[in-house]
């Protein structure tokens, strides 16, 4: 297996993006769970140079078998199918496991992986609480294993290009970020989107994206405010009540007076767009969590600032590198790059960034009254 240096915080070493597939040490992936996002991830993994899906584990063997059959590479061996997560993590040919279960199960699943010596890419949000996320990070460090939250937005080549060019001042100084993400959830009360036992609610599922986008563009928030539309729901396993948010509106204050307004919803269809207003114009981002279009439109009164090194005509902002599949491929490629370089965390999604966003969401939960069974 690929071992990583047991050095906490060994991040930030830029390595060239290797595109020559034959030069890459294969990264052998296992997928833990066979739900919706596991399917999207497996589809994109096929686009990642040097990545091999070697095994999948599910609570039901039939589901793992169907998944393995669907995602085997043409001409290659079918991934092995396991009827339990325990059997998956015991597979000696798996280097790294992608955890694709509901949020409330991530910590137990990650512990299982680390105890079996496997690196982990864990779906967002890492856990329901800051304490549990800190425990997961501590476990990874104790075992000297790689851990990254699957925050694909931070690995997306479009977002990275935007971040780099905005920070370089190419579009002026950012003053305001707006980002919103929402869709109407029509699901059974047992579904993870509505079941408080599984970490239901808009904030943890969707609100994490506008918060992350603002963090990537403006830096760490100095303060946050929030309002939420709560409903009381009973966990379908525990029978206990929780208060989950159907919709959450948030504001953030950042350095240099920059502000953000952010919204996430399970009860309304939002634009899924973001806009960054600067002192020189506006950047419009479609599908900001995996941008499909990014355009800077300069303010018409450009005569005032022809001295500045800022574009005078609209600029289409292009990704820095190819987008692999929907963009989940880029997060898998980043994991591969880190493992080959012996890193235990990614400079694109460092543990501290994940924990910062978890702290923000915990603060918003306290401000609005979002709570889960047992709290
Ligand atoms: N990055 C993204 O764009 C993105 C998008 C959607 C979701 N996500 C994240 O991915 C995670 C999974 O979301 P999803 O939409 O894929 O959920 P999902 O469709 O409900 O699938 C979750 C899977 O987890 C497994 N599981 C284990 N115990 C379970 C339990 N008690 N109840 C339900 N499922 C259980 C099941 O797989 P088996 O039966 O095979 O064991 C199930 O199919 C969430 O944390 C979510 O935030 C990320």
């Amino acid at each position: 297996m690929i071992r990583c240096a047991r050095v906490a915080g060994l991040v930030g070493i830029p390595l060239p993006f290797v595109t020559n597939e034959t030069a890459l040490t294969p990264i052998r992936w296992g997928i833990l769970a066979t739900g919706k996002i596991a399917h999207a991830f497996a589809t994109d993994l096929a686009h990642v140079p040097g990545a091999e899906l070697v095994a999948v584990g599910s609570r039901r063997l039939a589901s793992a078998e169907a998944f393995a059959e669907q995602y085997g590479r043409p001409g290659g061996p079918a991934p092995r199918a396991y009827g339990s997560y325990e059997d998956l993590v015991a597979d000696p040919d798996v280097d790294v496991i992608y955890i694709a279960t509901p949020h409330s199960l991530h910590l137990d699943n990650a512990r299982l992986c680390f105890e079996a010596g496997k690196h982990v890419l864990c779906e967002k949000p890492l856990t329901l609480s800051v304490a549990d996320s800190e425990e997961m990070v501590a476990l990874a460090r104790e075992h000297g294993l790689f851990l990254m939250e699957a925050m694909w937005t931070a690995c997306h080549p479009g977002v990275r290009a935007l971040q780099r060019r905005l920070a370089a001042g190419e579009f002026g100084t950012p003053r305001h970020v707006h980002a919103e993400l929402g869709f109407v959830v029509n699901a059974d009360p047992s579904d993870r989107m509505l079941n408080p036992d599984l970490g239901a609610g808009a904030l943890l599922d969707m609100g994490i994206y506008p918060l992350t986008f603002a963090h990537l563009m403006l830096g760490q928030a100095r303060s946050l405010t929030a309002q939420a539309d709560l409903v009381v729901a009973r966990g379908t396993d525990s029978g206990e009540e929780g208060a989950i948010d159907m919709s959450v509106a948030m504001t953030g204050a950042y350095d240099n007076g920059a502000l953000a307004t952010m919204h996430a919803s399970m009860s309304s269809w939002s634009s899924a767009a973001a806009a960054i207003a600067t002192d020189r114009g506006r950047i419009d981002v479609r599908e900001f969590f995996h941008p499909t279009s990014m355009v800077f439109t300069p303010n018409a009164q450009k005569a005032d600032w022809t001295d500045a090194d800022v574009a005078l005509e609209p600029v289409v902002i292009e990704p820095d590198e190819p987008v692999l599949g929907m963009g989940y491929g880029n997060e898998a490629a980043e994991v591969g790059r880190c493992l080959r370089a012996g890193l235990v965390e990614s400079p694109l999604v460092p543990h501290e960034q994940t924990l910062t966003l978890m702290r923000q969401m915990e603060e918003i939960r306290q401000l609005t009254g979002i709570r889960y069974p047992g709290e």
Side-chain angles (χ1 to χ4, degrees):
M1 75 172 279
I2 294 203
R3 296 296 310 181
C4 284
R6 194 182 172 126
V7 183
L10 181 59
V11 295
I13 302 171
L15 292 174
F17 190 73
V18 185
T19 51
N20 177 0
E21 187 161 358
T22 56
L24 295 176
T25 311
I27 302 295
R28 300 166 305 172
W29 285 85
I31 296 185
L32 188 152
T34 58
K36 288 186 281 299
I37 194 62
H39 280 273
F41 182 83
T43 302
D44 274 15
L45 199 61
H47 297 279
V48 180
E52 290 174 10
L53 175 58
V54 298
V56 56
S58 168
R59 294 169 300 173
R60 290 185 307 116
L61 181 59
S63 185
E65 285 173 344
F67 193 98
E69 193 177 330
Q70 190 172 350
Y71 296 105
R73 283 206 177 178
R80 286 182 286 283
Y82 295 108
S84 77
Y85 301 156
E86 286 76 8
D87 288 347
L88 169 70
V89 304
D91 186 323
D93 291 334
V94 171
D95 297 314
V96 55
I97 291 189
Y98 168 60
I99 295 175
T101 53
H103 334 321
S104 57
L105 307 174
H106 291 172
L107 177 58
D108 283 348
N109 299 153
R111 188 183 290 108
L112 191 69
C113 295
F114 293 138
E115 285 174 356
K118 304 303 185 194
H119 304 294
V120 166
L121 171 67
C122 179
E123 258 311 335
K124 42 59 58 178
L126 214 51
T127 60
L128 301 188
S129 71
V130 174
D132 283 358
S133 287
E134 286 173 345
E135 186 176 341
M136 195 192 296
V137 168
L139 280 170
R141 289 183 176 167
E142 249 169 55
H143 287 86
L145 292 164
F146 178 87
L147 169 66
M148 184 176 107
E149 179 188 32
M151 181 36 77
W152 61 314
T153 303
C155 301
H156 193 282
V159 172
R160 293 174 62 194
L162 176 60
Q163 222 183 342
R164 178 177 57 72
R165 295 176 68 175
L166 187 69
E170 229 179 289
F171 311 116
T173 303
R175 298 287 188 216
H176 176 229
V177 166
H178 178 77
E180 58 182 42
L181 182 58
F183 52 89
V184 176
V185 171
N186 287 314
D188 187 87
S190 63
D191 188 276
R192 72 164 188 90
M193 298 295 289
L194 297 176
N195 184 353
D197 282 341
L198 300 179
L203 173 66
L204 295 183
D205 190 69
M206 293 177 241
I208 190 170
Y209 287 108
L211 286 167
T212 297
F213 187 77
H215 178 91
L216 293 173
M217 298 304 149
L218 300 177
Q220 188 157 338
R222 286 192 289 105
S223 66
L224 295 164
T225 65
Q227 300 280 347
D229 170 30
L230 298 184
V231 295
V232 172
R234 206 170 276 286
T236 55
D237 299 322
S238 68
E240 286 182 40
E241 273 184 0
I244 63 166
D245 57 314
M246 296 303 290
S247 184
V248 60
M250 305 165 278
T251 70
Y254 300 79
D255 282 347
N256 303 318
L259 299 173
T261 49
M262 299 160 282
H263 181 242
S265 178
M266 300 199 301
S267 57
S268 61
W269 294 97
S270 85
S271 66
I276 304 173
T278 79
D279 57 346
R280 299 299 166 100
R282 194 185 66 245
I283 304 163
D284 289 297
V285 185
R286 272 201 217 142
E287 308 279 328
F288 73 90
F289 55 111
H290 63 121
T292 47
S293 140
M294 300 185 290
V295 179
F296 172 65
T297 307
N299 175 348
Q301 286 153 18
K302 47 197 167 192
D304 293 347
W305 41 275
T306 45
D307 57 319
D309 190 16
V310 173
L312 301 180
E313 299 300 329
V315 178
V316 174
I317 302 162
E318 301 284 0
D320 277 347
E321 290 169 359
V323 176
L324 303 174
M326 283 269 293
Y328 299 115
N330 296 90
E331 73 182 354
E334 171 61 6
V335 173
R337 188 190 74 78
C338 291
L339 293 182
R340 292 184 188 99
L343 304 184
V344 288
E345 61 182 303
S346 159
L348 298 184
V349 195
H351 296 163
E352 191 46 42
Q353 180 171 300
T354 298
L355 293 174
T356 294
L357 270 296
M358 283 303 306
R359 286 184 202 110
Q360 292 185 2
M361 291 191 292
E362 194 149 290
E363 187 182 338
I364 290 162
R365 285 180 56 194
Q366 281 158 5
L367 287 169
T368 55
I370 298 167
R371 67 181 166 76
Y372 294 103
E375 291 180 345

